[in-house]
């Protein structure tokens, strides 16, 4: 029998090798955006499976490839977990046979994959629409499930009773460790990522030792007769409903547009006509702003007299190209009526429409655009339309459709993963990943970014235009006094640029929790409008 110190060394080596190998491959191919992920590969359940599934959901291009990758991942995960558990087993307790551990951990690999799959899919969806609340909704269930799943590899009826406090503490430390080491792995110079990932793996090995020991030596659990783990798994299904509801309670949250330019006349110093483009799910009842030089953009277009038509929330679900056509008509008619230069103010989806308009159909009179909460680095993943049975992310698309179908049974859902606005982000992803936050000749631009948007995309270069950053979440800045004052200053010609230091820190902290971006060059669906890929160049706004 090997000495305990030899077994401990073997545990640390086994935990360190996979992260170091993955980091080496990512650095070798210069996959910059994904370099915060390797520390997670040998983390304690469920984070290790969360790591595996995000790669698979992004990088498969057929049902066969998806099936092969899933089977391979489950078998390898069962084998790796068996080795980690066997080496971490406390010496004072008899260990089950390796065969028993292998059977148990392979079965649990299947079970944990089923638990984690919806949230890994949600993480990929978050990379499509670049919304921080969706990333949080995909990650929070992992945090809640972790203390319960960490017992699964070593104890019998692991689904019953509450986990011990040491398991809760070690699982929380595991989350912190993944976050910190992911940030460091991304931040260090190129090849330093490999040793950082290796050190992170060693720390994972220490956590395996502590969690296995805590599970094996734990006293009888409280509420041992209650199937707590299945109940918690059902409870976390409510997370996607709770997070957006909480965000709507925040000042400025929801879909309401609280722009001062819509409620009172423009200051005399403003010489522009202004169009305000609201975001996804917004509504407009036809009320005219008090200033005749200000208009709401209508997702239904203009009436016979040139006035923006009232619209409902479902009207915003149209494709970005359809909205661009409507905006082009509205800009033309507003400029003709006022004979003034035109400034655009876009929030969320409205910012995406306005920026796409500048790239495709800009009128010479439009010389200013203020974007509030634009979807920075959207379109980082892909899934084909429902009629296509091949293509990158084909299984991911169908899982999203099943999830939306299930949600609609509980609460009516007017939209889905294939509605035209979402498909616009998928189909024109190269433009939104490389050019959204780039200068436009003859146009002044500024982006008003709540600090939560720092977690919506992998860290790195994301803008070549001025930014005004302020604490908040998506869609909450336009109604704030300080942002409105700076907006008016911008329209009058003043320079606005106020980045915040914590924004870059938040970018790095989120590095471990992003889904890996799909390489632009690999997707045939993007060949018609291929752009340089920030995921590999580390830069935006690079020319073709």
């Amino acid at each position: 029998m090997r000495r305990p110190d030899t077994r401990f060394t073997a545990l640390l080596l086994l935990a360190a090798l996979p992260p170091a190998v993955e980091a080496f491959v990512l650095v070798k191919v210069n996959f910059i955006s994904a370099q915060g992920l390797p520390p997670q590969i040998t983390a304690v359940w469920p984070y290790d499976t969360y790591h595996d599934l995000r790669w698979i959901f992004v990088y498969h291009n057929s049902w066969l490839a998806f099936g092969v990758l899933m089977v391979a991942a489950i078998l390898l995960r069962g084998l790796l977990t068996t080795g980690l558990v066997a080496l971490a087993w406390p010496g004072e307790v008899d260990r089950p046979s390796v065969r028993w551990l292998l059977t148990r951990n392979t079965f649990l690999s299947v079970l944990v994959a089923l638990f984690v799959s919806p949230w890994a899919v949600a993480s990929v969806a978050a990379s499509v629409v670049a919304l921080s609340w969706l990333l949080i909704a995909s990650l929070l269930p992992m945090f809640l499930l972790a203390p319960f799943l960490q017992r699964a590899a070593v104890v019998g009826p692991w689904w019953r009773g509450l986990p011990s406090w040491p398991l809760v503490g070690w699982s929380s430390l595991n989350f912190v460790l993944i976050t910190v080491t992911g940030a460091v792995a991304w931040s260090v110079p190129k090849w330093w990522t490999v040793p950082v990932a290796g050190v992170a793996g060693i720390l994972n090995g220490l956590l395996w030792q502590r969690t296995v020991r805590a599970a094996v030596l734990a006293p009888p659990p409280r509420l041992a007769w209650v199937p707590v783990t299945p109940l918690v798994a059902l409870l976390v299904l409510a997370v996607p409903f709770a997070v957006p509801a909480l965000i709507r309670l925040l000042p400025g949250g929801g879909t309401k547009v609280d722009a001062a330019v819509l409620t009172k006349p423009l200051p005399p110093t403003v010489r522009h006509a202004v169009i305000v483009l609201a975001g996804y799910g917004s509504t407009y009842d036809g009320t005219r702003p008090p200033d005749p030089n200000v208009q709401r953009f209508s997702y239904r277009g203009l009436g016979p007299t040139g006035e923006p038509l009232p619209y409902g929330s479902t009207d915003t679900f149209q494709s970005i190209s359809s909205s661009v056509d409507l905006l082009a008509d509205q800009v033309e008619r507003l400029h003709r009526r006022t004979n003034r230069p035109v400034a655009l103010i876009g929030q969320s989806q409205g910012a995406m429409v306005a920026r796409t308009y500048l790239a495709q159909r800009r009128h010479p009179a439009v010389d200013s655009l203020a974007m509030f909460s634009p979807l920075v680095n959207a379109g980082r993943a892909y899934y084909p339309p429902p009629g296509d049975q091949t293509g990158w992310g084909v299984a991911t698309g169908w899982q999203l459709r099943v999830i939306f179908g299930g949600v609609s049974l509980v609460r009516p859902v007017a939209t889905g993963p294939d509605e035209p606005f979402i498909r616009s982000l998928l189909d024109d992803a190269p433009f939104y990943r490389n050019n959204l936050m780039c200068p436009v000749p003859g146009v002044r631009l500024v982006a008003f970014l709540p600090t939560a948007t720092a977690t919506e995309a992998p860290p790195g270069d994301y803008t070549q235009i001025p930014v005004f950053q302020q604490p908040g979440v998506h869609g909450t800045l336009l109604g704030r006094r300080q942002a409105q004052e700076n907006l008016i200053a911008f329209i009058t010609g003043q320079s606005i640029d106020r980045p915040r230091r914590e924004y870059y820190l938040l970018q790095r902290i989120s590095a471990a929790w992003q889904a890996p971006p799909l390489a632009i060059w690999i997707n045939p669906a993007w060949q018609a409008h291929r752009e340089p890929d920030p995921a590999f160049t580390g830069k935006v706004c690079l020319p073709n």
Side-chain angles (χ1 to χ4, degrees):
M1 185 174 178
R2 289 178 298 176
R3 294 178 301 170
D5 58 333
T6 304
R7 191 173 64 178
F8 179 65
T9 302
L11 170 65
L12 299 186
L13 287 175
L14 181 60
L17 186 59
V21 170
E22 181 176 343
F24 176 85
V25 173
L26 293 177
V27 173
K28 184 68 175 178
V29 301
N30 208 42
F31 200 164
I32 297 172
S33 290
Q35 289 175 9
L37 299 181
Q40 204 169 146
I41 194 171
T42 53
V44 179
W45 272 336
Y47 301 116
D48 51 358
T49 301
Y50 188 60
H51 164 276
D52 301 344
L53 293 185
R54 284 178 295 161
W55 278 105
I56 293 172
F57 286 139
V58 173
Y59 280 95
H60 72 274
N61 61 354
S62 68
W63 284 102
L64 177 61
F66 177 75
V68 170
L69 288 171
M70 284 295 293
V71 171
I74 287 171
L75 293 177
L76 289 173
R77 181 57 60 189
L79 186 62
L80 177 60
T81 307
T82 297
L84 291 169
V85 171
L87 294 171
W89 201 272
E92 63 267 35
V93 179
D94 290 337
R95 192 196 70 197
S97 68
V98 173
R99 181 177 180 180
W100 184 93
L101 287 175
L102 181 60
T103 302
R104 177 64 173 271
N105 283 281
T106 303
F107 168 75
L108 289 173
S109 294
V110 176
L111 193 61
V112 174
L114 291 175
F115 273 166
V116 172
S117 180
W119 317 116
V121 170
S123 174
V124 176
S127 71
V128 172
V129 297
L131 289 174
S132 57
W133 74 262
L134 188 53
L135 180 64
I136 294 171
S138 72
L139 183 57
L140 188 56
M142 299 299 96
F143 184 79
L144 296 175
L145 284 171
F148 301 88
L149 294 180
Q150 289 180 4
R151 300 179 296 174
V154 295
V155 299
W158 56 273
W159 62 90
R160 297 203 309 243
L162 295 173
S164 64
W165 284 114
L167 280 179
V168 174
W170 291 123
S171 67
S172 300
L173 181 60
N174 196 191
F175 179 87
V176 174
L177 173 66
I178 295 169
T179 301
V180 172
T181 55
V184 175
W186 190 90
S187 301
V188 295
K190 196 170 181 179
W191 286 105
W192 279 98
T193 301
V194 178
V196 168
V199 171
I202 291 174
L203 296 176
N204 286 336
L206 294 173
L207 279 173
W208 272 104
Q209 184 196 47
R210 303 316 301 172
T211 54
V212 170
R213 184 177 184 85
V216 171
L217 301 179
R222 290 166 294 173
L223 303 178
W225 53 276
V226 178
V228 176
T229 300
L231 293 176
V232 172
L234 290 174
L235 180 64
V236 298
L237 294 176
V239 169
F241 300 100
V243 173
L246 292 174
I247 288 176
R248 283 194 291 270
L249 297 177
L250 295 174
T255 57
K256 185 179 178 182
V257 179
D258 293 319
V261 296
L262 295 174
T263 58
K264 55 187 177 183
L266 294 171
T269 52
V270 175
R271 300 302 180 187
H272 285 74
V274 176
I275 298 177
V276 180
L277 297 88
Y280 191 84
S282 62
T283 61
Y284 174 51
D285 62 5
T287 302
R288 299 181 183 181
D291 195 313
N293 296 309
V294 178
Q295 282 188 347
R296 278 283 297 268
F297 169 71
S298 173
Y299 286 93
R300 284 186 58 213
L302 303 178
T305 61
E307 289 298 318
L309 294 172
Y311 66 83
S313 60
T314 57
D315 293 310
T316 66
F317 299 169
Q318 65 187 295
S319 69
I320 293 179
S321 61
S322 297
S323 299
V324 165
D325 291 341
L326 296 177
L327 179 58
D329 182 39
Q330 190 165 341
V331 167
E332 169 67 32
R333 297 178 73 166
L334 179 63
H335 173 64
R336 191 188 314 149
R337 177 173 65 81
T338 63
N339 199 29
R340 289 185 170 205
V342 178
L344 304 177
I345 302 171
Q347 176 171 273
S348 188
Q349 177 181 351
M352 307 301 280
V353 171
R355 181 61 184 85
T356 307
Y357 163 80
L358 294 183
Q360 296 180 356
R361 300 195 56 179
R362 178 206 162 201
H363 191 287
V366 177
D367 65 2
S368 304
L369 167 60
M371 297 188 290
F372 284 79
S373 298
L375 306 180
V376 178
N377 214 335
R380 299 192 308 278
Y382 184 80
Y383 51 86
D388 296 342
Q389 296 305 310
T390 59
W392 293 102
V394 60
T396 304
W398 280 105
Q399 286 212 47
L400 284 170
R401 293 172 192 120
V402 170
I403 291 172
F404 270 84
V407 170
S408 65
L409 295 177
V410 179
R411 185 185 69 181
V413 178
T415 183
D418 296 299
E419 60 97 339
F421 173 67
I422 304 298
R423 284 244 60 97
S424 296
L425 298 178
L426 291 165
D427 295 338
D428 297 330
F431 171 80
Y432 298 116
R433 287 166 66 169
N434 186 52
N435 286 323
L436 176 71
M437 303 285 285
C438 301
V440 177
V443 181
R444 299 174 59 248
L445 291 97
V446 66
F448 289 78
L449 302 176
T451 49
T453 62
T455 66
E456 294 174 358
D461 182 39
Y462 69 97
T463 184
Q464 293 296 320
I465 64 174
V467 294
F468 178 92
Q469 294 167 352
Q470 190 173 359
V473 297
H474 182 86
T476 61
L477 296 192
L478 187 53
R480 298 190 184 181
R481 180 181 59 83
Q482 188 177 19
Q484 292 186 2
E485 291 174 352
N486 281 272
L487 171 62
I488 295 298
F490 169 75
I491 297 175
T492 58
Q494 297 181 38
S495 176
I496 303 297
D497 190 19
R498 197 185 75 173
R500 299 177 66 97
R501 291 182 179 178
E502 66 266 28
Y503 195 92
Y504 303 101
L505 176 61
L506 288 172
Q507 281 187 297
R508 287 160 171 76
I509 286 176
S510 70
W513 306 114
Q514 304 288 344
L518 180 65
I520 290 177
W521 63 268
I522 205 174
N523 189 4
W526 293 337
Q527 286 183 350
H529 23 213
R530 184 165 290 170
E531 297 278 350
D533 194 341
F536 291 85
T537 65
K539 300 289 183 180
V540 295
C541 307
L542 294 179
N544 287 336

